[in-house]
Amino acid sequence: MSGFKHSIKVPSKYKKVAAILKTAFESKKSLKSLIFEQKKHVKLRDMQALLTHYTDNQRAIDAAIEKCQILEENPRLSRELCITLVTELIYHRKDLKGDSKPVQTVRAYRKRIMKALGDENFAKKKDTKPRYVRINTNIVSIADAHAMLAENWYKKDCPPFENYDEFLKAVETLEENEYMVDMHVDDLLIFHSKQKYFWATHEYTESKKFMLQDKATCLAAKILNPPIGSIILDMCAAPGMKTIHLSNLVKNQGTIYAIEKDAERYRLLRSMTKKAKCKNIKPIEADVLTITPEQCPDVEYILLDPPCSGSGMQNRMCLNSEVDDAQRLQKLGGLQIKLLSHAMNFPHVKRIVYSTCSIHKEENEDVVKKCLYLNPNFKLLSAKKALRNKWCNLGDRQYDFGKKCLYSRPEKDLTIGMFIAIFEKLSNSEEVA
Ligand SMILES: C[S@@+](CC[C@H](N)C(=O)[O-])C[C@H]1O[C@@H](n2cnc3c(N)ncnc32)[C@H](O)[C@@H]1O
């Protein structure tokens, strides 16, 4: 649109979203990191929601824009602004603000775009994953949380579930005004997917009384299962969701060394854990590979949630073009092996949980295999057993240890995609044998 003067300005939200898309298309930066850079923008959540609608429906929107020839017939309209306005008009707010020229143009094409989208395609990709909300027990007890929620919601009464499928059925049939308690994580509550906006904007979330945290990401701390008052190392901690969960699990006692390398994300970790009233966290801004056991003495439990491709969250805020090429996966795998081997060098460590939100074996089973080979004084424990055998998706059976690892998969588990492996240090007698 450069060089063209509009008499009426395009609203700044649309311009900002279009600019983010342009950078994402042209550079190798991910949408998530670009939106993170806008974290002080007053319309951050709104922009995030708009971009999520686009990534959820990217193929359909791109195809419709092409089919109705709006860009060819209006050469001054940029592709990114067109995408922004179409997404806002059809999927997000269902309306456009103002009367700027680009807004008028997209409005005029509404019928043609809808036709191009086709009813089937348009209705197809809705996010039906439930809204998971975890109680931050540093601030609110579980009993008080239920009392607070009773003002607006009915608690679905569920008998003890015989099996995992029964539980999933109960989640899928939740009514919009109901919530239920998760079967694996007892401070995790499950709401209908339509309640996402309610929770995203509620004071309970802002004040960190409740944490918006996908179930899969709660499993890592739950499976590490540190006793109350333990000494824990959270190797890659920011923004701090799992750190706060760990703090809850150990009743805000003991010590959690929370390490973060990136200065900006470290600041976020500090402010999040402070707001969440964590008293047992020692944040350290450093590359964890330089952290010695002397700096974090007596660590017995380690959580390693390293940087990864994020492929398990593929349809959330991720463009189709952000593909995971083999070279990138190999590089990530190399770093993950280094980090996990470093964890295994802490002399008093008893248990380590390794988690990624990736579905690629290069970042998961391959990393586990290499680390077991390099560190024969560790063994894998069954993650399924840690969930009382009530879980289905396990690691790749082509690896002899595959069934000890766990995957969560969106299509079955109604969560994001994640991988988890639990390591335990062998006792002296096990090592000799
Ligand atoms: C997947 S995120 C962690 C998410 C976090 N566990 C949570 O639940 O909120 C990985 C984090 O590790 C940080 N990181 C990457 N390499 C690191 C290193 N060598 N030392 C410490 N932190 C690192 C990244 O900056 C990023 O914030």
Side-chain angles (χ1 to χ4, degrees):
M1 304 289 296
S2 60
F4 180 75
K5 283 203 174 123
H6 302 300
S7 45
I8 303 173
K9 279 192 176 163
V10 176
S12 71
K13 178 182 99 175
Y14 301 155
K15 282 205 277 193
K16 185 52 83 188
V17 172
I20 290 173
L21 279 172
K22 191 168 189 321
T23 314
F25 288 136
E26 288 174 0
S27 72
K28 281 220 151 188
K29 279 196 160 181
S30 71
L31 266 189
K32 262 184 240 140
S33 62
L34 289 166
I35 196 89
F36 183 73
E37 288 168 12
Q38 304 295 325
K39 67 180 187 306
K40 292 207 173 118
H41 199 287
V42 280
K43 297 235 161 108
L44 176 71
R45 280 193 199 283
D46 194 22
M47 296 197 305
Q48 234 166 349
L50 199 160
L51 283 165
T52 304
H53 279 296
Y54 175 56
T55 53
D56 281 355
N57 300 283
Q58 185 178 355
R59 263 181 243 286
I61 293 171
D62 289 355
I65 287 174
E66 202 182 318
K67 207 164 171 188
C68 72
Q69 304 247 299
I70 182 170
L71 294 176
E72 289 76 4
E73 292 167 13
N74 300 273
R76 284 189 166 130
L77 178 62
S78 78
R79 177 168 168 251
E80 295 79 17
L81 187 55
C82 181
I83 289 172
T84 306
L85 297 175
V86 168
T87 310
E88 175 88 332
L89 181 64
I90 315 271
Y91 291 89
H92 186 39
R93 297 259 165 208
K94 317 262 173 18
D95 194 11
L96 290 175
K97 281 220 163 90
D99 274 311
S100 58
K101 181 81 172 96
V103 163
Q104 284 184 30
T105 305
V106 171
R107 262 195 210 123
Y109 276 74
R110 188 176 187 281
K111 270 197 180 153
R112 280 166 71 179
I113 296 167
M114 289 292 280
K115 190 163 182 291
L117 280 167
D119 285 339
E120 201 193 324
N121 226 346
F122 178 52
K124 216 194 252 165
K125 225 185 162 198
K126 276 199 186 144
D127 183 15
T128 50
K129 249 194 311 113
R131 170 76 272 174
Y132 294 99
V133 179
R134 209 179 57 70
I135 305 164
N136 176 4
T137 52
N138 287 356
I139 304 182
V140 187
S141 71
I142 293 185
D144 285 350
H146 287 299
M148 283 156 79
L149 294 174
E151 288 170 21
N152 288 308
W153 313 90
Y154 295 107
K155 181 164 172 265
K156 183 166 176 164
D157 268 328
C158 303
F161 296 107
E162 292 276 311
N163 56 49
Y164 185 44
D165 281 343
E166 236 178 50
F167 159 77
L168 289 173
K169 206 164 178 192
V171 176
E172 278 170 330
T173 53
L174 261 180
E175 298 287 341
E176 280 178 42
N177 58 354
E178 287 179 331
Y179 75 97
M180 60 184 272
V181 179
D182 183 65
M183 79 177 283
H184 298 103
V185 184
D186 55 9
D187 55 4
L188 185 66
L189 310 176
I190 310 173
F191 291 80
H192 191 279
S193 66
K194 288 223 169 116
Q195 302 307 340
K196 283 193 174 133
Y197 188 72
F198 173 92
W199 278 103
T201 52
H202 201 281
E203 184 277 332
Y204 287 165
T205 316
E206 179 58 31
S207 59
K208 303 278 178 270
K209 292 184 183 94
F210 292 82
M211 310 296 298
L212 301 188
Q213 189 170 3
D214 187 277
K215 171 173 177 170
T217 73
C218 298
L219 293 177
K222 159 86 191 164
I223 284 180
L224 184 62
N225 194 22
I228 294 172
S230 350
I231 303 189
I232 305 169
L233 173 63
D234 186 353
M235 294 180 77
C236 293
M241 298 303 285
K242 297 184 189 71
T243 322
I244 296 166
H245 191 192
L246 285 168
S247 172
N248 291 165
L249 286 169
V250 295
K251 307 266 185 255
N252 221 346
Q253 296 169 34
T255 306
I256 304 173
Y257 296 102
I259 321 293
E260 173 55 49
K261 177 166 115 164
D262 180 90
E264 187 69 14
R265 289 176 69 86
Y266 174 73
R267 270 195 288 280
L268 184 62
L269 169 74
R270 286 201 73 143
S271 78
M272 284 255 294
T273 50
K274 190 172 169 208
K275 236 180 177 180
K277 306 274 187 270
C278 300
K279 292 192 208 127
N280 57 346
I281 291 177
K282 290 201 176 153
I284 301 177
E285 184 185 346
D287 178 340
V288 72
L289 292 170
T290 67
I291 293 286
T292 62
E294 290 71 36
Q295 285 169 279
C296 304
D298 304 321
V299 165
E300 291 185 325
Y301 297 87
I302 298 184
L303 177 68
L304 172 58
D305 187 39
C308 71
S309 63
S311 55
M313 305 169 65
Q314 198 83 69
N315 62 351
R316 311 303 300 157
M317 291 287 282
C318 189
L319 294 169
N320 289 342
S321 53
E322 291 174 36
V323 285
D324 300 316
D325 55 76
Q327 214 182 347
R328 178 170 178 241
L329 291 181
Q330 200 186 8
K331 210 168 151 200
L332 281 166
L335 173 65
Q336 290 152 351
I337 290 167
K338 260 196 204 162
L339 288 164
L340 186 49
S341 287
H342 189 59
M344 290 172 168
N345 278 329
F346 277 74
H348 304 292
V349 68
K350 290 181 174 162
R351 202 180 304 144
I352 301 170
V353 162
Y354 173 75
S355 64
T356 71
C357 49
S358 164
I359 48 166
H360 297 305
K361 66 177 175 32
E362 291 86 341
E363 301 177 87
N364 300 333
E365 288 92 340
D366 284 352
V367 172
V368 170
K369 185 176 172 184
K370 186 82 186 190
C371 286
L372 284 174
Y373 172 75
L374 294 173
N375 303 276
N377 52 339
F378 279 84
K379 66 177 179 189
L380 268 183
L381 297 183
S382 161
K384 183 177 175 174
K385 256 195 200 157
L387 296 180
R388 290 172 286 127
N389 284 321
K390 293 191 165 134
W391 197 262
C392 302
N393 285 311
L394 305 179
D396 189 335
R397 297 297 172 108
Q398 290 188 0
Y399 297 77
D400 54 4
F401 55 80
K403 64 177 189 304
K404 292 200 168 163
C405 306
L406 172 153
Y407 272 97
S408 62
R409 302 210 180 260
E411 54 293 356
K412 165 80 185 175
D413 302 302
L414 312 174
T415 64
I416 61 160
M418 274 203 80
F419 172 84
I420 295 182
I422 323 173
F423 297 87
E424 192 175 79
K425 196 166 185 178
L426 297 178
S427 61
N428 286 344
S429 56
E430 281 177 303
E431 269 192 70
V432 172

